[in-house]
Each structure stands twice: as structure tokens, then as C-alpha cells.
């Protein structure tokens, strides 16, 4: 691991320890922080994929109001993503181990009412990813590839949680098991792993889209996960900073 990445992880862990020492946190503060991060996670994850709802419009849609001039699909992408986050939180709360079944359930939520035929179903055709240097595996190999991902995950417990989350995300995106919705599902998996280990979510911002794609591409081509791990660590740090500032714990 690069020295820069190791330093980032050490800073994140020091701040997480500060936050952990303050637990239990005030209930209303936690609820408002969760709502803010859920909104930002939904907005940015969808915006990375081309959804044109603004942050404020996303908030309104999540409150059940229709925004004029925006497609039905964009509305569903917002509410579906929120429902998928709730599912991630439920898995974490029940201490359930990650399985392929849950991955498919997550994807089914992401594409609910958008593409019923493909929701939760591994692709039955081959695809290419625009701008990527690697080719996703042949659809015939997807069952073996996904089984391999779960096998890797079961053995990855010794690595730092942020490294493990970044690598899980990258390996999933490289397999690209679904026709659509892989990015959103991959970022939900990333944060499943972080939330499970007591970290706040990593919100990869729309503005960081290019750096994010470059880091993913580097990892997929070379097997070097330091860039994507650093990007995830910086994203976690932003969420931690928010917690520490609101709670008055920022030194």
C-alpha cells in the first residue's frame, strides 16, 4: 500500500476512534446526520450515472413530491436508491453476512419500476463499458465470477475495512454482472462494508467522477487498489468531519 494511502487510513481511523469514544451519540443528531448523508449519497450516486435532479430536487422527490420537467425514471432512481440504502442498513443492523442473494436484492431495488425484466437478474448478454480499459467477463461466466467474488470476500477479513470495501466495489464493477445499475449497486456494496465496520458512508461526489473512474480503471487493469482506496478514504473522511463538527468533537 502506498504511504499516502496508509497515512489517509491512519487519519480516518484516529477520527473514527474519537467518534466511537463519544458513543452513544444524541439520537436527534444521529437522525439528522443520517438523513443528510442519505440525501447526498442518493444525489451524488445517481448524478454520477447521469441523473439530472439537483440536490434540492432529489430532497423534494424523497419527500414524495413530483418535480416538473424531470422523467419518471429520474424520480424512481431517487426513491429506489433511498430504499436500497434502507435495505443496506437493515442487513447491517441484523449482522447478516453478504451473499449473492443480497447483491441481487440490492440491484432489484435499484432498478425497481425502471426495468422489471433486468432487476436482480444477471445479464444474459455481453457488454462493454465506455471509457474502460478492461472488458467485463462473458455472461456465461457470471455465475462463476460472482461465486469467486464471494469467495474472495469471505477470505478478505484481514485487510483494513476501507481497503476491503474499495476492493469489493472494484471487483464487483469489473465483473459488471448486470445490464444496468452496476455503479449504484457497487457503491451500495462499498458502503455496506463500511457501515458494517462502524464507519460513516463514503459519498463519492459527482465532481470527483473523473478521478473515480480513473482510479477504478487503474485498479481493474493493474490490480493496484491504492488509488481507489485513497479516494474512498477521503470520502469517508468528509463524512467523519461532518459528524465531528456537528457533535463539537473537531479539535
Amino acid at each position: 500500500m502506498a504511504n499516502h494511502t496508509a497515512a489517509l487510513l491512519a487519519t480516518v481511523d484516529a477520527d473514527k476512534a474519537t467518534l466511537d469514544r463519544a458513543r452513544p451519540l444524541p439520537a436527534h443528531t444521529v437522525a439528522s446526520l443520517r438523513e443528510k448523508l442519505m440525501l447526498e449519497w442518493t444525489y451524488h450516486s445517481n448524478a454520477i450515472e447521469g441523473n439530472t435532479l439537483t440536490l434540492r430536487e432529489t430532497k423534494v422527490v424523497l419527500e414524495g413530491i413530483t418535480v416538473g420537467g424531470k422523467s419518471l425514471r429520474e424520480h424512481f432512481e431517487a426513491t429506489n436508491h433511498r430504499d436500497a440504502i434502507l435495505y443496506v442498513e437493515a442487513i447491517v443492523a441484523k449482522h447478516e453476512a453478504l451473499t449473492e442473494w443480497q447483491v441481487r436484492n440490492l440491484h432489484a431495488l435499484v432498478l425497481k419500476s425502471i426495468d422489471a425484466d433486468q432487476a436482480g437478474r444477471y445479464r444474459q448478454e455481453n457488454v462493454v463499458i465506455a471509457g474502460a480499459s478492461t472488458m467485463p467477463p462473458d455472461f456465461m461466466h457470471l455465475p462463476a465470477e460472482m461465486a469467486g467474488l464471494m469467495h474472495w470476500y469471505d477470505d478478505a477479513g484481514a485487510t483494513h475495512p476501507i481497503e476491503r470495501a474499495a476492493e469489493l466495489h472494484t471487483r464487483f464493477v469489473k465483473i459488471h454482472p448486470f445490464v444496468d445499475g452496476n455503479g449504484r449497486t457497487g457503491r451500495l456494496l462499498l458502503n455496506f462494508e463500511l457501515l458494517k465496520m462502524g464507519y460513516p458512508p463514503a459519498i463519492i461526489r459527482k465532481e470527483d467522477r473523473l478521478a473515480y473512474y480513473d482510479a477504478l480503471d487503474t485498479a481493474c487493469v493493474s490490480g493496484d487498489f491504492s488509488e481507489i482506496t485513497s479516494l474512498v478514504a477521503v470520502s469517508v473522511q468528509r463524512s467523519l468531519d461532518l459528524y465531528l463538527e456537528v457533535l463539537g468533537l473537531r479539535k
Side-chain angles (χ1 to χ4, degrees), residues 134-217:
T134 55
M135 191 92 125
D138 188 288
F139 76 91
M140 300 285 283
H141 300 152
L142 287 176
E145 290 279 351
M146 288 302 290
L149 177 67
M150 291 299 135
H151 185 69
W152 166 82
Y153 177 74
D154 290 342
D155 290 342
T159 51
H160 188 284
I162 292 177
E163 282 184 279
R164 190 165 64 245
E167 190 166 343
L168 171 64
H169 172 56
T170 307
R171 285 172 177 268
F172 171 83
V173 169
K174 187 177 183 181
I175 295 169
H176 213 79
F178 303 107
V179 166
D180 186 24
N182 292 284
R184 274 170 275 241
T185 305
R187 289 185 289 279
L188 287 156
L189 289 174
L190 168 79
N191 281 328
F192 158 78
E193 191 59 24
L194 292 170
L195 294 173
K196 186 182 90 173
M197 301 306 292
Y199 291 83
I203 296 165
I204 296 166
R205 299 178 302 192
K206 171 190 166 189
E207 306 89 273
D208 299 329
R209 181 198 279 156
L210 187 58
Y212 166 59
Y213 284 151
D214 284 347
L216 276 177
D217 203 54

Side-chain angles (χ1 to χ4, degrees), residues 53-209:
L53 290 173
T54 63
L55 183 68
R56 192 162 290 158
E57 285 169 345
T58 303
K59 182 178 192 294
V60 177
V61 169
L62 294 183
E63 288 165 357
I65 298 162
T66 304
V67 177
K70 300 292 180 175
S71 70
L72 200 54
R73 180 186 176 116
E74 290 184 311
H75 285 77
F76 281 133
E77 284 177 348
T79 53
N80 285 359
H81 193 274
R82 182 218 23 230
D83 293 348
I85 294 176
L86 295 175
Y87 180 65
V88 166
E89 290 179 340
I91 303 171
V92 169
K94 288 186 276 193
H95 304 287
E96 289 183 19
L98 186 65
T99 62
E100 276 189 71
W101 183 71
Q102 287 164 337
V103 173
R104 292 169 86 130
N105 283 347
L106 260 184
H107 182 260
L109 288 169
V110 167
L111 283 197
K112 187 178 64 182
S113 307
I114 294 172
D115 190 342
D117 290 342
Q118 298 295 340
R121 183 170 175 241
Y122 292 153
R123 56 183 164 83
Q124 301 292 303
E125 57 195 91
N126 289 336
V127 293
V128 294
I129 308 170
S133 304
T134 55
M135 191 92 125
D138 188 288
F139 76 91
M140 300 285 283
H141 300 152
L142 287 176
E145 290 279 351
M146 288 302 290
L149 177 67
M150 291 299 135
H151 185 69
W152 166 82
Y153 177 74
D154 290 342
D155 290 342
T159 51
H160 188 284
I162 292 177
E163 282 184 279
R164 190 165 64 245
E167 190 166 343
L168 171 64
H169 172 56
T170 307
R171 285 172 177 268
F172 171 83
V173 169
K174 187 177 183 181
I175 295 169
H176 213 79
F178 303 107
V179 166
D180 186 24
N182 292 284
R184 274 170 275 241
T185 305
R187 289 185 289 279
L188 287 156
L189 289 174
L190 168 79
N191 281 328
F192 158 78
E193 191 59 24
L194 292 170
L195 294 173
K196 186 182 90 173
M197 301 306 292
Y199 291 83
I203 296 165
I204 296 166
R205 299 178 302 192
K206 171 190 166 189
E207 306 89 273
D208 299 329
R209 181 198 279 156

